Each structure stands twice: as C-alpha cells, then as structure tokens.
Amino acid sequence: MMKRLLSCLVAVATLCIGTVAATPPAIAQCAQGVLCIELDNPNIEPLPFAAPSFIAETAGADQYARDLASVVAADLQGSGLFRAISQDAFISQITSFDSPVQYADWKAINAQALVTGAVSTTSDGQIIVKFRLFDVFSEDQLGEGLQFVGSTNGWRRMAHKVADAVYSRITGEGGYFDSRVVFVSETGPKNARLKRLGVMDYDGANQQFLTDAQAIVLAPRFSPTGDRVLYTSYESGFPKIYVLDVASVGRRVLQDQPGTMSFAPRFAPNGQDVVFSLTTGSNTDIYKLNLPSGQRTQLTSSPAIETAPSYSPDGTRIVFESDRSGTQQLYVMNASGGEATRISFGQGRYGTPVWSPRGDLIAFTKQNRGRFHIGVMRTDGSGERLLTASFLDEGPTWSPNGRVIMFTRETAGSGGSSTLYSVDISGRNLKAVQANASDPNWSPLLK
C-alpha cells in the first residue's frame, strides 16, 4: 500500500498561460496577460468556479470521472480561495471533452472559471486523465491543459495534481494538494493514550499506519524528499530518535548512547544532516548529525534547555527555542552554531518554531494569559501575527507552498482529544482536518 503512494504520475503535456481580456470581480491582473487571485488582498472573496463531472471516454471510467471532479472541486474550495458552484445550478452539460464551451451558460450562473476533464482506462489497469481550464469572462482557454497517466489506484493523486495546476494558474503560486502529512494517531482515554505514526493525504484521506502502538511516539518529520521520516520513540524507556523508510517501513535508531535522551529531530534541506536535541545529565543542547559519516557536532553550549531546531530553506541558519533568558523564547543562529540572536519579544512564551519553505516567515506556538496561539513572524522577529487562539494549539507545520499551516488543537478536560486543524497565513479558513491526531508534519509535493 505504501508503495502505491510513492508511485509517480507522468505529465505528458505542458500547461501554458493564456491571454485574458477581462478583470471580473474577485480577480485581478497581477501581471500582464496573467489572470490571478490577489492573495494579499485583505478583502479577497472566493472565486466562483464550475467543475462538472469529467467525461468517461471508456467503459468502466464513469465512477472515476465523477470522483475526480469531486476531489478537484473539494481541493479548490477547501483552500478558501475558490467557491464551487453546485452542479444543480448548471445550465450547460459537458458531453464531450472537445465540445465548444457555451460561455453564456456559465456566465449566467456567475462562474468565473471552468474546469473540464476526461478519463479513460486501459486494459492493463492504467488510467489517463486530461483536463482544461477556461476563463469564462474572457471566453478563453488558459493553456493547453495537462494529461496524467498512472495506475487506477492513484486516481486521487491525479485529481490533486489537476487541482494544483488550476490553483497555480489562477493564484500564481505553487500548489499543495498533491502532498501528504505524517502525524501521531491517538486512541484510548486521555490518561492511557495509545500513539502510533500515521500518514495520510493532506486532506485526511488514504490514512495508513507506519508503526504499532506498543510505544509512545512523538514529533515525526519528513525528509526533504519525503521518502524518510524522523521521529522520537520511548520503546527503550528513554526518548530516542529513529529514522524510518516510508516505502519499506524499515527503521533504525539514529544514535544509541547510554545515559542520554535524544528528541526533536529535523532534517536539514540537504537531506544528509539531522539537527536534534540531546540531554546528557541535566543539560539539553542542540546537535547536528551527518547521516553518511555518523559525525556529530554540538551546536549550542548553554545551561539552558535548547530544543525544537528548524533549518532555514537554504540551510544556512537554524531557529530554535531556549529558556536562556529565563523564559521560553525563540533564537536564530548560524547552521554551524555559535552566537544566537533572540527574535521573540512579545508577551508570553514561544516555542516549536518552524521556518517557512519560502524563507520569509517563522511559525511558532505562543502561550500567553492562559491561551495558546499559532502565530507567524518575520525571520528577524518583526511583524508578529497570531492566527489562532484556544485552550491548546501547538506544533505548526507548513504546506509545501508556504500558504497554509497545520497544527494540533487539544480540547480541555479528562475527555479532551487532539485534532489536526489548518489555517492560512492570513488567519482565514480555519478548519478541522483529522480527529484523534497530533504532531503533524507536511511533506514536500510528491514527485
């Protein structure tokens, strides 16, 4: 099953940018000849679009055709930037992939974009998906479309790829739908919770487990290529870091030093180095381990607790949390270690910092006046913005395009539970993703 998730889909056509002539409401000319949503507009309204069921071009493709269009629509609407028009409102029906578009009928229901597609299956278990994107108001096709070929088991991935292409053409940004999230699945009562690693599509579908529930597991982290996962396990009685191969589900302990505890691991952008916290006696510092050579380097040396390190996308800097100032705050240092600069100065305590894949922001958890928040700030600590507030919000992780943050929200009381939520970096579109789960980490886009 896991190997199916890793199967590649081959793009056999190129999606091009078309020329548009109109600027309908909720969209703007972000660049000459390119129709897009202004993502930085504080008054942005979701763009209405239509996604009719795809055309089944071979016998047996009907269900795939309906399901593909449904997932594409759900992806786009779930981003908060698009609004799907109900198929009950459609005047036109798409009966052939090559039929001319009746633009007047789509204008009449206020659709601003139209996504059409077709599906065919082959005798050897393959599926072929193609699609086109139209700007209804300019009555123009946006590009030549895309075609994907893969196994029938990968139909949801193809739908996510179609949605990513539509999202990218209209927003001007990379997509994030064709990605996965590794997380900790939690079952049982709060005082005796069973935890195991799980992996799922970004939207909670296709959930599978990577470990059993025999030991507590924490903080899974994908490698830059998405083929490995670092995590912390208590199976020996002490926290130790393991690296797991996602395809084979084989694993090994990263380092096993008697008398020490290792935790909070994260890959460097090069995929060869791992940064983590190591406790020896009563002292906790940050170390780097080179996986090929096994060479370990100490990066901090302080009587304080230093943990939760995260690399900048270019691998030159590390942000981490430390109580060296007396309270839990955020610091940035060179990737080689040395003197660190404090960047958090607001009221309260800061932790679990994560550098955006764009490199411009750092997400964090903040505790202040009995409430927990997920927030973002610039890399120098300026421009702090709190995106959420609840009894307990923690552990942010970035989508591959740096537009959305997923995190854990826990409810109060003895019967409280953890749920994965997502929110965009403007603080809009807060929504639940997966119940009975914690510690999410977003993969890069799948290849």
Side-chain angles (χ1 to χ4, degrees):
M1 293 295 290
M2 197 57 56
K3 291 181 179 177
R4 294 177 187 172
L5 292 176
L6 297 174
S7 62
C8 294
L9 303 175
V10 181
V12 295
T14 303
L15 183 64
C16 304
I17 298 174
T19 302
V20 296
T23 307
I27 45 182
Q29 294 290 339
C30 301
Q32 184 65 34
V34 179
L35 187 67
C36 62
I37 297 175
E38 279 192 273
L39 294 177
D40 294 329
N41 183 349
N43 300 315
I44 189 172
E45 292 290 334
L47 184 148
F49 74 97
S53 292
F54 286 11
I55 302 300
E57 296 187 324
T58 58
D62 300 81
Q63 189 63 50
Y64 292 118
R66 291 190 292 271
D67 291 344
L68 276 153
S70 177
V71 171
V72 170
D75 282 348
L76 295 172
Q77 180 155 296
S79 73
L81 301 175
F82 300 83
R83 177 175 61 82
I85 296 174
S86 170
Q87 296 202 22
D88 294 339
F90 293 175
I91 298 172
S92 282
Q93 299 298 322
I94 304 297
T95 57
S96 170
F97 185 66
D98 295 319
S99 294
V101 173
Q102 303 301 314
Y103 288 106
D105 291 346
W106 300 107
K107 288 180 183 179
I109 61 173
N110 297 317
Q112 294 180 16
L114 172 66
V115 181
T116 66
V119 183
S120 58
T121 56
T122 65
S123 59
D124 60 351
Q126 296 288 96
I127 185 172
I128 301 170
V129 178
K130 52 188 178 182
F131 89 101
R132 289 174 178 150
L133 173 64
F134 299 90
D135 170 28
V136 173
F137 280 82
S138 69
E139 300 189 1
D140 200 4
Q141 180 177 326
L142 300 183
E144 298 178 356
L146 277 179
Q147 178 170 295
F148 300 110
V149 180
S151 70
T152 53
N153 293 322
W155 72 267
R156 285 191 102 259
R157 281 205 60 197
M158 296 189 203
H160 291 323
K161 284 183 172 291
V162 170
D164 274 333
V166 173
Y167 179 97
S168 296
R169 295 282 71 80
I170 296 178
T171 67
E173 292 188 343
Y176 63 94
F177 306 124
D178 186 27
S179 61
R180 292 173 294 160
V181 174
V182 63
F183 63 98
V184 175
S185 172
E186 301 189 355
T187 56
K190 196 169 187 177
N191 62 352
R193 191 137 300 167
L194 299 178
K195 299 188 177 187
R196 54 179 171 167
L197 295 188
V199 64
M200 64 184 184
D201 291 356
Y202 92 99
D203 56 2
N206 286 336
Q207 184 177 145
Q208 298 177 6
F209 295 107
L210 303 177
T211 66
D212 57 29
Q214 297 301 308
I216 295 174
V217 290
L218 301 171
R221 302 289 182 257
F222 269 116
S223 67
T225 51
D227 60 338
R228 292 165 293 162
V229 170
L230 290 167
Y231 68 99
T232 301
S233 174
Y234 278 78
E235 65 183 72
S236 69
F238 293 91
K240 294 187 182 299
I241 298 170
Y242 288 77
V243 59
L244 180 146
D245 183 275
V246 175
S248 67
V249 200
R251 67 194 186 100
R252 63 181 176 88
V253 67
L254 200 62
Q255 277 201 332
D256 192 4
Q257 293 180 288
T260 66
M261 295 185 294
S262 55
F263 53 96
R266 197 177 291 271
F267 279 99
N270 63 16
Q272 301 298 306
D273 296 321
V274 171
V275 66
F276 62 98
S277 290
L278 181 69
T279 298
T280 303
S282 61
N283 198 46
T284 301
D285 278 302
I286 294 173
Y287 289 76
K288 179 181 73 173
L289 178 70
N290 180 261
L291 293 176
S293 69
Q295 180 180 354
R296 193 181 72 186
T297 305
Q298 186 172 348
L299 302 181
T300 65
S301 181
S302 166
I305 297 174
E306 324 259 49
T307 189
S310 172
Y311 278 96
S312 61
D314 62 6
T316 62
R317 291 178 290 169
I318 293 173
V319 62
F320 64 98
E321 67 177 73
S322 172
D323 62 359
R324 60 176 67 181
S325 65
T327 60
Q328 189 180 2
Q329 301 294 333
L330 305 185
Y331 293 80
V332 171
M333 65 179 176
N334 289 331
S336 58
E339 187 173 350
T341 301
R342 179 175 167 178
I343 62 170
S344 59
F345 290 96
Q347 296 294 318
R349 295 185 290 174
Y350 296 76
T352 65
V354 188
W355 221 298
S356 165
R358 299 178 180 181
D360 57 339
L361 296 173
I362 291 172
F364 56 86
T365 300
K366 182 174 183 176
Q367 183 182 8
N368 187 37
R369 296 181 180 179
R371 301 279 281 175
F372 280 79
H373 311 267
I374 300 298
V376 294
M377 63 173 66
R378 298 189 186 96
T379 59
D380 62 359
S382 63
E384 177 180 323
R385 287 182 288 121
L386 300 181
L387 309 179
T388 74
S390 83
F391 166 74
L392 180 56
D393 286 351
E394 63 179 353
T397 182
W398 291 93
S399 64
N401 66 353
R403 173 59 56 179
V404 181
I405 293 172
M406 194 176 294
F407 62 96
T408 304
R409 171 166 288 182
E410 185 171 330
T411 53
S414 59
S417 62
S418 295
T419 301
L420 302 186
Y421 275 76
S422 66
V423 64
D424 71 24
I425 57 174
S426 67
R428 296 188 296 257
N429 200 33
L430 175 69
K431 61 179 183 178
V433 178
Q434 179 67 41
N436 302 314
S438 64
D439 282 353
N441 184 248
W442 221 312
S443 79
L445 281 178
L446 301 180
K447 302 297 185 183

